[in-house]
Each structure stands twice: as structure tokens, then as C-alpha cells.
Amino acid sequence: MLTPAHWLYGAFTLLVILAVLFRRGVVLLSLVGTLLVAWVYKGSFVDGLQAIFNANLVAANELFSIFLIITFMVALLRALKDLGADRQMIAPIQRLMVNGHVSFFILVVITYVISLFFWPTPAVPLIGALLIPPAVRAGLPAMGAAMAVAVAGQGMALSSDYVMQVAPMLSAKSAGINTAAVADKALILSLVTGVIASGSAYLYLFRKVRNPDLYEDDALNQMAVMSAEEDISRCSGAEEKWGRVFAVLVPFSLLGVMLYMVYTKIHGHGRLEGANGAAFIGGVAAVLLIMATFVHGRFRALERISEHIVEGFLFSFKAMGPVVPIAGFFFLGNGDFAGAILSVHKGAPAFLFDIVKTMQAFIPANRIVTSFGILLVGMVTGLEGSGFSGLPLTGALSGALANSSGFDPSTLAAIGQMGSVWTGGGTLIAWSSLVAVAGFAGVPVMELARKNAIPVIMGLVVSTLVAVFLW
């Protein structure tokens, strides 16, 4: 039986969705909703105030490993930048860009790989400064270069987030399921979506690729030259030597991490998934950070490493901070977390699950309708511009709708994750990190979002159908 607190929770969930539709922030609604739902349920305003703090504390406790892995990876990237190793890692790739067609696929592959490990936002400046200019010089239109980077990084890599597992962890926590199940399915769906989207984008660009012009003196080429000169002037001979060492050491170390994780997954012993996988990657990143900082600064490394870690924390909290109160509100709707939030030790409510269970008679028990419904909810929540804020909602809905639809909740969570991250992560809306991609490519961001729309939506539709018939 639904109580007034259930109806209030449902009302605030709808308000959150409406706020996203109108491109408004949802943190305030999440905090007020948590307060009022707890107040009505417990009958005490003081308990409502405590619930706000508890909800954020529970969410922060569940999500802090995410903040930490982001921190170490960003700190490592900053340390590599000190040595010039970040640029040396991808400098050899420039020589392979012999024409616009090859350049498009090189951009897709390199952006995907780098973004898997470092996330697209810190990776875009590196790719934009060093790989987009030679790609354009080889004959690829600037719009085509921007589409390749956005689809591969902000879309394909970020939507699976298979290495750092921030997105699947958010989805799985809210659905009350194992992170690995969501991560594996999200990886497959992201690849399907990415292949369709990048393939469609390439077909659109095919006739627009021009002959290589190695002597074109445009703004992009000037940017590349200035960046190279800056590196030369900044790095001493010893630093340049160590930069070369780390330009090889870091990629091979991270590749070794991936291969070892795949090995443990296949052989089924000591599997490094979810929190264990994140801890393993974070530990490797921390060791590489210590080594890179020491060879750059020697005894100054004692202070410099602190600066890098602070920069990493600042980046992670700016990127993920608003997710905590939003996750706290949706954790309140999950019976696994509601007890801790409401200080109820037995018989804790599951507001969202109870609402969906009551309304099951009105929800079509159709796999296609349910899957595309979750995809649409994900895309709507992605309109707020980050792609991650909607994952607690799509995850919670996936867990609630799983029984009535006949789906495994991990499948629905992966579908919702595709919709949210591909939309808000930076492929379909201009008020997202797509701005950075457009800026480095020198193209209008609104035009880039419009060009991405048809390829990305085609990819999402196909990947959702694959999920329906595969799982």
C-alpha cells in the first residue's frame, strides 16, 4: 500500500525529470525532496533534516571510490604533462595520418583508447592540440575531426566507462545489482552504438574529404606548432629523456592492467571487477604518479605530488560533486539504502520500487516498450549536460521494472546508461563537454551537435534492439 511519503517521492521524481527537460539543475530538488519525504514518512522535521545529511553521507560512501580513481588518473596525467610524456605518447601517431580517410579512423581509435583510461574531458585538450591539426592537414574536414573525437570519446568510451567503471557503478548501485554485470553489457552496447555512429558519420563525410595539404597554414596548424614549441622550451634534456621513457612505460603498464583483468575474468579466479578493478587501476596509477613526479622534481616531488593530487580531487569533485545529492535522493527510493538514510533498522521502505510495483498493471509488459522507455528516460536525464546525474534514476527504474518486463535489471541499466551518457556526456547537446571538442576543432558547437544527432540516435536504436534480442 502506498503511503503519502510514496506519493511525495513519486512527485519529486517527476519534478526532477521535468527540471532536466527544461535544462534546469536538479540538486536543489533532490535535497528538498529528501527532506520532505523523510519528514512525512517519519513524522518529524528533525528526522527530515537528519535524512538530508544521511542521504548525502550514504551516497558519498558508496561513490567515493569513484572520486578516488578519477583523482589518481587525472593526477597521473598532470605528472606526465610535466615531463612532456603526454604529447610524446601520441606524437608517432601523427605520421600515420597520410590522408583524411585514414585520419578519421585513427582519431576514433586513439580517442577511444585514451578516453577509456583518462576520461574524455582531460584527454580532449591533448588530442585536440596534437591530433586534430594533422588530421585536418591530411584532408579531413574540421567538422569530421570533431565528430570522430566526440563519438569515440564522449560517446563510445564514456558510455561504457569499462576501465574506471564510474558509470556502471552508479547504475548498478541504484539498481541493487553487481557492477560487473552492467559493465559487461554496457561495453557491448557502447561498441555497437559507436560502430554505427562512427560508420554513419564516415559515410556522411566520405565525399567531403579533400586531398592532403601539407602546407596549409591555418589556425589549427599554428596551434600544434605553438604547443610543440612550448614543450621544447619547457623540458630540459633529462626531462625529455624521462618523457620518452614514460611515454612508453605508461601505455604498456595500462595495457598490462587491461590484459591481466581480462585474464582473471576468463579464468574466473581473483576476478578484478567493480571496486576491486578500480582499486587495482588506482594503485597502478598511484605508483606511476609517484615515479613520474620523482623523476621530474627529485626532492621537489614531496610537494609536487600533493599539488597533482589536489588537482585530481578538484577535477573529480567538479565533475562528480553534483551527483552525490542526486544519488542520495534516488538511494532513498531503494530499500537497500533507505534504512540507513531514514535511521530505520527494520522494515525500511523502498519508495520507487513500491510505486512501480503498484503501477505494474498499467505498464505494458513488453520488452521493446520497456527497453525504449528506459532509453528515452536516460536521454531525457542526459539533457542536463553531464550524462552521469541521470544514472541513479535509470538504475533505480531498471531494478524496479525488471520483474514486470522479464528483463535482467543489468540489461535495462546498461540501456539507460547508453541513453544518458551518449546524450549528456558530450555528443548530442551543446551545453556539455562538446564545447571543448568544437573549440579545439574550430567548428560551431551547435552545428557539431546537429551533425552528431542522426548517427548517434541510429546507434542507440540499434544497440537497444541488440540488447532486446541478445539478452
Side-chain angles (χ1 to χ4, degrees), residues 76 79 246 285-295 301 305:
L76 172 60
F246 278 85
V287 171
L288 291 171
L289 168 63
I290 293 169
M291 294 168 61
T293 308
F294 178 76
V295 299
I305 194 168

Side-chain angles (χ1 to χ4, degrees), residues 80-322:
L80 294 178
K81 189 173 182 179
D82 285 344
L83 292 170
D86 58 338
R87 299 179 182 276
Q88 292 188 44
M89 278 194 294
I90 61 174
I93 306 299
Q94 295 177 346
R95 302 189 190 99
L96 302 177
M97 293 181 166
V98 294
N99 59 54
H101 302 283
V102 173
S103 298
F104 178 86
F105 291 104
I106 287 177
L107 276 177
V108 169
V109 173
I110 299 302
T111 303
Y112 178 71
V113 172
I114 293 177
S115 298
L116 266 183
F117 286 97
F118 295 108
W119 267 17
T121 303
V124 161
L126 178 66
I127 295 164
L130 288 186
L131 291 187
I132 289 181
V136 173
R137 200 162 56 237
L140 182 67
M143 181 62 72
M147 292 173 72
V149 172
V151 167
Q154 274 84 342
M156 191 159 51
L158 191 61
S159 64
S160 72
D161 198 13
Y162 196 71
V163 174
M164 295 171 70
Q165 299 200 349
V166 174
M169 200 177 298
L170 279 170
S171 298
K173 291 286 185 183
S174 300
I177 54 179
N178 187 269
T179 299
V182 178
D184 291 342
K185 291 178 178 177
L187 176 64
I188 294 172
L189 296 185
S190 70
L191 290 173
V192 172
T193 307
V195 168
I196 298 295
S198 57
S200 302
Y202 175 71
L203 291 176
Y204 164 76
L205 295 164
F206 185 79
R207 294 184 180 277
K208 299 179 183 294
V209 176
R210 62 183 187 272
N211 292 327
D213 182 2
L214 299 178
Y215 304 99
E216 184 180 1
D217 186 22
D218 56 15
L220 289 175
N221 294 329
Q222 291 176 21
M223 183 197 306
V225 172
M226 288 171 61
S227 298
E229 290 175 349
E230 180 187 343
D231 275 350
I232 292 171
S233 63
R234 186 185 61 195
C235 296
S236 65
E239 287 176 342
E240 189 176 351
K241 180 189 71 174
W242 282 112
R244 292 196 191 99
V245 171
F246 278 85
V248 175
L249 177 62
V250 171
F252 276 95
S253 297
L254 296 178
L255 178 62
V257 167
M258 283 291 292
L259 292 176
Y260 184 70
M261 291 174 69
V262 170
Y263 172 80
T264 59
K265 190 178 186 69
I266 292 174
H267 291 274
H269 57 80
R271 297 176 68 169
L272 296 170
E273 298 173 331
N276 290 334
F280 180 45
I281 296 167
V284 171
V287 171
L288 291 171
L289 168 63
I290 293 169
M291 294 168 61
T293 308
F294 178 76
V295 299
H296 174 259
R298 299 298 188 272
F299 291 107
R300 286 185 291 121
L302 297 172
E303 289 76 32
R304 189 62 175 156
I305 194 168
S306 300
E307 295 173 9
H308 289 319
I309 290 176
V310 168
E311 289 173 343
F313 270 117
L314 287 173
F315 179 88
S316 65
F317 274 90
K318 283 183 70 175
M320 298 295 297

Side-chain angles (χ1 to χ4, degrees), residues 7-93:
W7 290 108
L8 193 59
Y9 186 86
F12 268 93
T13 300
L14 291 176
L15 284 175
V16 167
I17 295 174
L18 287 173
V20 168
L21 277 172
F22 288 99
R23 288 186 280 157
R24 310 300 296 179
V26 297
V27 172
L28 178 63
L29 287 172
S30 299
L31 292 170
V32 174
T34 302
L35 168 66
L36 294 180
V37 170
W39 182 5
V40 171
Y41 181 79
K42 297 293 293 287
S44 168
F45 181 67
V46 172
D47 288 337
L49 295 174
Q50 292 176 333
I52 293 180
F53 181 82
N54 289 338
N56 283 271
L57 184 62
V58 168
N61 183 56
E62 292 294 325
L63 304 179
F64 187 71
S65 61
I66 295 173
F67 287 82
L68 208 53
I69 182 66
I70 296 172
T71 295
F72 280 123
M73 296 304 285
V74 172
L76 172 60
L77 196 58
R78 297 291 191 271
L80 294 178
K81 189 173 182 179
D82 285 344
L83 292 170
D86 58 338
R87 299 179 182 276
Q88 292 188 44
M89 278 194 294
I90 61 174
I93 306 299

